[in-house]
Amino acid sequence: MAEILPLKGWRYNDQLGNRIEELTAPLFDVVSAKQREMLYQNPLNSIHLSVPQGEFPSMEAQKILERWKSEGILIQDQQPGIYVYYQYFRLPGEHEERCRKGFIAHIKAYEWSEKVILRHENTIVSAVNDRIELLKATEIQVSPTHGLYEDEDCELEVYMDAAIANPLYELEDYQGVREVLAVIQNPEVICRFLTKLKDKKIILADGHHRLEGAIEYRKQQKNSFPEREWKGSDYHMMYLTNVFGNHLNILPTHRLFYGLEISKEEFLNRIQEWFDVRVFGDAEELATYSFQRKWSFGLLWDDDAYVIKFKPDKFDQVRPELPEVLRNLDLVILHHILFEKILGLNEEQQRNSSQLAFERNFSRCLREVRGGKATFAIITKELEMKQIMEVCKSGQVMPQKSTYFYPKALGGLIFGSIKQEEFDYDYGTFFGKNKR
């Protein structure tokens, strides 16, 4: 099952650590163009490693990383640790603060077929290739992926609570989330973390592209350092949170479609074969509309808005080869019927299409459509945690960008190196009697 290791994290030096808010950045696939522009202005911001610029971005990131290391901008912790990571936040309209508790560690980059890390989404090919090239060049991870484990007893929480009382960093991020990072370096306590996770399967919540890149890199490096018991290229930095007793929030990700060459009238005629279509009075009100009935969505086109509901009597034509747990999902209906049957894009074409984009922000969807950039937007509702768990355990995957776990982990708080000389350590110290 899941083998995790503590990591010797790289962090900004103590002086820069006092200004850590200026150096962190959103994840590569959620940072907006405007955010990137602003963050690039700071020559030491971590975005220069996660979303590098230039004609050859990966090589540029490698040069920057080596310079930061040589100049002491980044310093490596010599003692491996489990990095405790708490995120305090409020959802809109709430007054009570929530807290998502977890920890960051190295985890083996298991292939999907090993069924230790269970995915729930398809990926976008171009984004995976980009991550592979960056990992090859730098051998470092700027942000952790996000995995879920199941522990009803919440056994590790007491150790995490104790550590978080003495934080390395405490800051407010771009989401308005209070981020707190601490570290556990006691070998006996670390052993408890390793032991607790060794019989667990991990549900991948966020970071499918980065993990798929790490899996590919592990395969490419399988013949390197054959004498090492623990090889850096086998591992991947992950933020692990417990499904039980935790605040796991999933927000919807909407769909934008660009460059459709048919008229709105023809499009509406086509979808009426499959969906009941109702004109919606005020497009802006779709932001708070509660899609109570399953298989229902919002549609934005020009200044008009609609609610579209899939016709139940058409359900027998939806992917009969799939298990019911997947066929019943709103997004499977949406992608199979609207994008494949109506618009003619098969699953592979959808994964690679430059016409199909994904956007969490409703206001941005509205602007793209009203401004004439996007032809239309489909407004979706969030999935339930139970649905995601069921899909993962079924061995199936949902369409790309099906979930948006909130809040997102932050880039630049901790860097995880898989470069062998920086990764090397006698990790048997932390396995105790459970060492292989």
Side-chain angles (χ1 to χ4, degrees):
M1 294 297 181
E3 179 183 301
I4 68 167
L5 295 177
L7 65 96
K8 294 190 292 178
W10 285 83
R11 296 186 287 120
Y12 286 102
N13 66 44
D14 289 343
Q15 185 177 358
L16 288 171
N18 293 328
R19 299 187 283 122
I20 193 67
E21 284 187 15
E22 303 170 18
L23 306 172
T24 54
L27 301 180
F28 87 100
D29 55 348
V30 299
V31 61
S32 70
K34 285 189 176 180
Q35 285 174 318
R36 284 200 299 268
E37 277 182 40
M38 180 188 70
L39 296 172
Y40 285 139
Q41 299 307 308
N42 186 333
L44 299 182
N45 189 281
S46 61
I47 196 164
H48 293 287
L49 300 183
S50 60
V51 192
Q53 297 174 291
E55 185 178 358
F56 302 102
S58 297
M59 294 301 102
E60 185 65 24
Q62 182 186 43
K63 291 177 188 174
I64 291 170
L65 177 61
E66 291 308 315
R67 178 165 55 81
W68 286 4
K69 288 177 179 178
S70 65
E71 294 178 0
I73 291 166
L74 294 180
I75 306 290
Q76 187 176 28
D77 292 337
Q78 293 306 301
Q79 181 71 21
I82 296 289
Y83 291 83
V84 179
Y85 184 28
Y86 281 15
Q87 294 178 290
Y88 298 87
F89 63 100
R90 293 181 178 87
L91 294 177
E94 292 185 342
H95 297 288
E96 276 199 40
E97 188 176 60
R98 299 173 179 238
C99 178
R100 187 171 70 190
K101 301 182 177 184
F103 62 92
I104 298 171
H106 275 310
I107 185 169
K108 190 164 281 187
Y110 294 96
E111 292 196 50
W112 307 124
S113 60
E114 296 179 79
K115 297 183 178 178
V116 177
I117 300 177
L118 307 178
R119 59 178 171 171
H120 66 267
E121 287 185 349
N122 270 321
T123 50
I124 300 168
V125 175
S126 59
V128 173
N129 291 337
D130 173 67
R131 294 299 102 185
I132 294 170
E133 289 305 311
L134 191 57
L135 190 58
K136 275 185 190 177
T138 63
E139 295 183 286
I140 205 164
Q141 292 155 269
V142 180
S143 59
T145 55
H146 183 193
L148 312 175
Y149 65 94
E150 296 178 89
D151 176 26
E152 291 192 65
D153 297 329
C154 301
E155 180 186 329
L156 301 177
E157 192 169 314
V158 62
Y159 303 108
M160 293 193 290
D161 285 346
I164 213 72
N166 297 289
L168 299 169
Y169 303 128
E170 184 166 358
L171 66 145
E172 184 174 297
D173 75 3
Y174 71 101
Q175 307 164 103
V177 173
R178 183 161 62 95
E179 307 261 4
V180 187
L181 186 77
V183 66
I184 296 172
Q185 294 179 319
N186 182 312
E188 291 183 5
V189 176
I190 291 174
C191 181
R192 291 183 180 271
F193 281 75
L194 274 54
T195 301
K196 173 57 68 174
L197 269 291
K198 74 181 179 69
D199 294 324
K200 304 292 185 186
K201 289 181 183 286
I202 304 300
I203 306 294
L204 187 60
D206 195 21
H208 287 67
H209 298 92
R210 283 170 288 154
L211 182 52
E212 199 159 309
I215 292 168
E216 178 59 29
Y217 186 70
R218 180 189 176 193
K219 288 192 287 188
Q220 293 176 6
Q221 298 295 312
K222 66 180 180 180
N223 296 321
S224 64
F225 303 104
E227 75 286 357
R228 296 292 207 282
E229 183 174 3
W230 289 283
K231 291 168 51 176
S233 56
D234 284 350
Y235 291 86
H236 176 77
M237 187 171 70
M238 184 175 283
Y239 168 43
L240 291 150
T241 57
N242 189 1
V243 171
F244 296 96
N246 221 330
H247 289 289
L248 296 171
N249 297 280
I250 305 165
L251 303 180
T253 301
H254 312 306
R255 273 61 178 152
L256 285 162
F257 200 86
Y258 294 81
L260 186 61
E261 294 181 352
I262 62 174
S263 67
K264 178 168 64 174
E265 289 70 28
E266 184 178 347
F267 179 75
L268 291 174
N269 285 336
R270 288 187 189 184
I271 68 171
Q272 283 172 356
E273 178 185 349
W274 299 93
F275 294 87
D276 293 319
V277 179
R278 175 169 63 87
V279 176
F280 192 80
D282 186 345
E284 295 182 7
E285 291 301 314
L286 273 179
T288 56
Y289 185 79
S290 178
F291 296 98
Q292 294 290 347
R293 196 177 114 182
K294 67 178 182 177
W295 309 336
S296 61
F297 311 91
L299 168 64
L300 301 175
W301 190 308
D302 295 332
D303 291 326
D304 298 324
Y306 308 85
V307 172
I308 62 173
K309 300 180 181 181
F310 182 67
K311 297 176 179 179
D313 60 359
K314 296 281 191 178
F315 182 66
D316 61 347
Q317 299 181 52
V318 178
R319 304 289 301 275
E321 77 280 7
L322 294 179
E324 289 299 297
V325 65
L326 203 57
R327 288 183 72 211
N328 269 295
L329 291 179
D330 288 5
L331 291 176
V332 170
I333 299 283
L334 178 68
H335 278 259
H336 181 62
I337 300 301
L338 195 150
F339 294 118
E340 183 167 351
K341 285 189 174 292
I342 296 176
L343 297 183
L345 295 174
N346 63 32
E347 188 173 334
E348 189 63 24
Q349 289 170 324
Q350 291 174 39
R351 290 180 66 194
N352 293 286
S353 176
S354 60
Q355 291 180 279
L356 182 58
F358 305 89
E359 177 58 61
R360 185 189 64 81
N361 188 297
F362 174 84
S363 296
R364 198 168 291 132
C365 287
L366 200 59
R367 287 199 303 272
E368 287 288 290
V369 173
R370 285 182 169 176
K373 294 180 181 178
T375 307
F376 68 85
I378 298 293
I379 307 305
T380 66
K381 65 180 177 182
E382 70 278 6
L383 286 168
E384 298 174 11
M385 189 67 224
K386 177 184 175 184
Q387 293 175 302
I388 295 168
M389 299 291 284
E390 287 174 345
V391 170
C392 287
K393 292 175 180 179
S394 76
Q396 302 291 326
V397 292
M398 296 182 283
Q400 63 269 35
K401 300 293 181 184
S402 292
T403 59
Y404 187 103
F405 279 82
Y406 179 85
K408 292 290 186 183
L410 194 60
L413 281 180
I414 188 83
F415 301 79
S417 176
I418 56 172
K419 194 171 187 176
Q420 193 61 43
E421 59 264 38
E422 297 172 355
F423 180 88
D424 274 334
Y425 197 84
D426 178 15
Y427 293 99
T429 304
F430 303 103
F431 283 88
K433 295 179 181 179
N434 296 299
K435 185 179 182 294
R436 297 190 299 249

